[in-house]
């Protein structure tokens, strides 16, 4: 693709004075790792890819199932049974052939987390369980990596940025993970398909702001209740 085509592709964001060519160059050079290619991961991946993040990593060990399709927008019924990361890579590279997508078709565990995360600039956590969330957080703290955090359930979502330029991390907010038996999850309690789209897009938005160097969340947790459009930002 020529320089002119690249210019035209990103023109509607580079004309923003806060971004410009310098900001677009930062996006091109950035390396972002997305944990999970599910409800949150799909919109995150879609938007950071089309915005021009140059290198995107995806960690997920799951296969596509039919119950994923109401909210996991990178996939179709034709891909049920196929690998999420392989399918996501194919879709993203069609959306933007200028980017590079690296896949990790494996479960993130203590023995591989540091090796996977270390080569990336920013980590975005779209996982759906507290074991992974705390592992990602602790690894990012150990490696000095900024972490964009989000979670969803039912009609409610959360968003925060951890460990960025000396800011606090997940354990400063919630020191220990809850007992899994006490935690509701989407598999049993459900989620409206549009919610991960909203929270995932917000996570992608914060990720792009971090890369460009714009003001982002700092020691703040967003609580978004979409049934009554109640939006609260808590400092911690």
């Amino acid at each position: 693709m020529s320089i002119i085509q690249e210019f035209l592709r990103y023109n509607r964001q580079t004309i923003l004075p806060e971004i410009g060519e310098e900001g677009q160059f930062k996006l091109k050079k950035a390396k972002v790792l997305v944990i999970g290619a599910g409800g949150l991961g799909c919109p995150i991946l879609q938007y950071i890819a089309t915005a021009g993040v140059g290198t995107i990593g995806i960690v997920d060990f799951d296969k596509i199932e039919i119950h994923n399709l109401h909210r996991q927008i990178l996939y179709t019924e034709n891909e049920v049974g196929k690998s999420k990361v392989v399918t996501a890579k194919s879709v993203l590279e069609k959306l933007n052939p200028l980017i590079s997508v690296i896949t990790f078709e494996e479960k993130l565990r203590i023995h591989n987390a540091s090796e996977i995360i270390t080569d990336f600039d920013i980590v975005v956590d779209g996982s759906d369980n507290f074991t992974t969330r705390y592992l990602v957080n602790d690894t990012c703290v150990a490696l000095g990596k900024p972490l964009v955090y989000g979670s969803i359930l039912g009609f409610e979502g959360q968003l925060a940025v951890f460990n960025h330029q000396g800011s606090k991390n997940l354990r400063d907010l919630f020191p220990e993970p809850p007992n899994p038996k006490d935690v509701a999850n989407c598999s049993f309690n459900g989620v409206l398909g549009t919610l991960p789209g909203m929270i995932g897009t917000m996570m992608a938005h914060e990720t792009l702001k971090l890369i460009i160097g714009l003001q982002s969340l700092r020691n703040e947790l967003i609580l978004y209740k979409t049934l009554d459009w109640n939006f609260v930002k808590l400092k911690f």
Side-chain angles (χ1 to χ4, degrees):
M1 185 173 288
S2 69
I3 295 176
I4 293 176
Q5 288 175 308
E6 186 172 345
F7 170 81
L8 293 173
R9 172 180 282 270
Y10 302 123
N11 174 256
R12 292 302 185 270
Q13 63 192 31
T14 57
I15 60 176
L16 291 168
E18 296 88 351
I19 300 177
E21 292 184 9
E22 181 181 353
Q24 193 62 50
F25 183 75
K26 290 178 180 179
L27 293 173
K28 184 176 182 177
K29 293 299 181 182
K31 298 179 179 180
V32 175
L33 180 68
V34 179
I35 311 295
L40 290 171
C42 283
I44 294 165
L45 289 165
Q46 185 176 35
Y47 277 105
I48 66 172
T50 54
V53 172
T55 302
I56 299 173
I58 315 172
V59 182
D60 202 309
F61 64 95
D62 269 345
K63 307 294 183 185
I64 300 164
E65 299 182 62
I66 195 164
H67 63 77
N68 299 147
L69 301 181
H70 86 291
R71 66 195 185 283
Q72 299 183 18
I73 56 174
L74 292 180
Y75 316 126
T76 70
E77 194 163 343
N78 292 333
E79 285 124 18
V80 169
K82 296 182 180 179
S83 161
K84 285 186 179 181
V85 294
V86 172
T87 304
K89 174 181 170 69
S90 175
V91 174
L92 296 177
E93 289 178 341
K94 290 174 184 174
L95 285 172
N96 190 349
L98 298 177
I99 65 171
S100 174
V101 180
I102 303 168
T103 60
F104 302 89
E105 193 172 1
E106 55 190 298
K107 190 170 185 177
L108 198 73
R109 300 181 185 274
I110 293 175
H111 73 268
N112 65 3
S114 292
E115 182 180 357
I116 291 173
I117 290 173
T118 192
D119 289 332
F120 292 87
D121 306 317
I122 296 173
V123 178
V124 190
D125 185 8
S127 63
D128 60 0
N129 66 88
F130 282 96
T131 299
T132 303
R133 288 172 189 162
Y134 277 80
L135 173 60
V136 172
N137 175 81
D138 295 347
T139 306
C140 285
V141 170
L143 296 174
K145 306 289 185 179
L147 171 61
V148 179
Y149 165 90
S151 67
I152 53 171
L153 184 67
F155 297 92
E156 301 180 9
Q158 298 182 1
L159 173 68
V161 174
F162 296 131
N163 203 49
H164 176 56
Q165 296 180 344
S167 71
K168 297 178 181 178
N169 67 79
L170 177 61
R171 289 191 184 272
D172 293 309
L173 184 60
F174 304 113
E176 297 295 333
N179 188 324
K181 295 180 181 179
D182 299 329
V183 179
N185 63 66
C186 295
S187 297
F188 296 102
N189 297 85
V191 62
L192 186 63
T194 47
L195 179 70
M198 287 186 280
I199 301 300
T201 301
M202 291 166 68
M203 294 170 71
H205 193 68
E206 281 300 291
T207 302
L208 298 177
K209 286 163 61 183
L210 286 175
I211 295 168
I212 296 165
L214 301 176
Q215 181 178 345
S216 59
L217 293 171
R218 183 175 181 85
N219 301 335
E220 297 167 312
L221 176 69
I222 288 177
L223 304 175
Y224 196 13
K225 299 181 179 182
T226 63
L227 270 183
D228 58 1
W229 299 114
N230 187 290
F231 187 98
V232 177
K233 186 162 64 172
L234 302 175
K235 292 189 176 294
F236 63 91

